[in-house]
Amino acid sequence: AQTVTQSQPEMSVQEAETVTLSCTYDTSESNYYLFWYKQPPSRQMILVIRQEAYKQQNATENRFSVNFQKAAKSFSLKISDSQLGDTAMYFCAFMRFNDMRFGAGTRLTVKP
Amino acid sequence: NAGVTQTPKFRILKIGQSMTLQCTQDMNHNYMYWYRQDPGMGLKLIYYSVGAGITDKGEVPNGYNVSRSTTEDFPLRLELAAPSQTSVYFCASRGLDPIQVYEQYFGPGTRLTVT
């Protein structure tokens, strides 16, 4: 079974600075999808960014980018120019067909 | 579009009681999912459906049942509630759009407490 590990339970960053959240996963498959979801205090799950495993190019979405290292099974999220609204839980997720596995999450606090 | 809606938002059950968590989506999505999120943890897949009449187990199906009689609705049934089922429950759906084929759209969640 696939597993997802987020080794940083909590992180903090100053407003306008850059922060990187770590994620590793374990799978024997070669085709899959990886995601980062944001969960603010409202509890709503919001998709931040997605990476297809067959693509070598790292995904970017505005201030969010990933460093996807397939051989190392690593999928980190970089948030540039951090904003107060980025304060939330961040979950890394692995998906193959209909089986989605989430990590335990990293609580990110952006400080003014 | 309302997206994915869930009812109720909150519920307190006594041990041994039964209830159904409702989930409805108005995006004509084929795939629907139920997850649970325990305190301080990520989401875990309970059941999923690939279309009306077709359901399958996820990672943590014990103690739950589902049905999918229409494209829009995917209710989750708890037959004999136990304290271990205290959690926040999320419903999600996804379509077959080639561009966003793997993006799941989540409902707002139902917080369930079993005492």
Side-chain angles (χ1 to χ4, degrees):
Chain A
Q2 285 71 228
T3 59
V4 179
T5 302
Q6 293 180 249
S7 59
Q8 305 151 315
E10 293 190 27
M11 293 192 72
S12 63
V13 63
Q14 291 296 133
E15 194 175 8
E17 293 188 347
T18 296
V19 64
T20 298
L21 308 184
S22 300
C23 173
T24 59
Y25 58 94
D26 185 23
T27 185
S28 58
E29 306 293 342
S30 58
N31 294 321
Y32 48 87
Y33 287 75
L34 296 164
F35 305 87
W36 279 98
Y37 279 89
K38 171 184 177 181
Q39 187 179 46
S42 66
R43 215 167 56 196
Q44 183 69 43
M45 294 292 288
I46 302 166
L47 179 64
V48 175
I49 199 165
R50 178 187 75 195
Q51 175 78 44
E52 294 89 338
Y54 62 85
K55 290 186 177 180
Q56 291 186 332
Q57 186 174 5
N58 289 326
T60 62
E61 286 287 342
N62 301 313
R63 297 183 296 109
F64 300 89
S65 62
V66 298
N67 184 4
F68 173 48
Q69 301 289 328
K70 191 171 184 179
K73 299 178 184 175
S74 170
F75 183 60
S76 61
L77 173 71
K78 186 171 82 171
I79 305 175
S80 304
D81 186 27
S82 296
Q83 300 175 359
L84 296 177
D86 295 334
T87 292
M89 284 290 292
Y90 286 82
F91 293 98
C92 177
F94 169 104
M95 182 169 183
R96 178 169 164 80
F97 298 119
N98 289 296
D99 187 7
M100 179 91 101
R101 302 292 172 118
F102 287 81
T106 296
R107 183 176 302 280
L108 177 67
T109 302
V110 180
K111 298 179 178 179
Chain B
N1 270 355
V4 180
T5 57
Q6 293 182 236
T7 56
K9 286 186 171 52
F10 305 93
R11 183 72 185 269
I12 299 175
L13 278 183
K14 293 190 185 305
I15 295 171
Q17 286 186 323
S18 300
M19 79 162 294
T20 299
L21 281 65
Q22 302 291 346
C23 175
T24 300
Q25 52 90 11
D26 62 359
M27 297 173 282
N28 201 32
H29 284 173
N30 292 74
Y31 298 86
M32 296 188 74
Y33 306 83
W34 274 106
Y35 295 90
R36 59 177 288 172
Q37 183 180 26
D38 297 335
M41 301 296 291
L43 281 67
K44 292 189 176 182
L45 182 63
I46 304 171
Y47 270 96
Y48 67 93
S49 169
V50 301
I54 307 170
T55 62
D56 206 349
K57 297 177 181 179
E59 187 181 357
V60 289
N62 290 345
Y64 306 94
N65 281 301
V66 294
S67 60
R68 182 99 180 269
S69 56
T70 68
T71 299
E72 295 78 21
D73 301 307
F74 189 40
L76 178 71
R77 178 84 177 160
L78 284 71
E79 291 293 348
L80 292 171
S84 61
Q85 293 177 305
T86 293
S87 192
V88 178
Y89 291 83
F90 288 95
C91 180
S93 72
R94 71 176 175 96
L96 295 174
D97 183 292
I99 296 176
Q100 297 183 330
V101 65
Y102 281 102
E103 179 173 353
Q104 292 191 17
Y105 294 79
F106 284 82
T110 294
R111 181 178 295 277
L112 176 67
T113 302
V114 182
T115 62

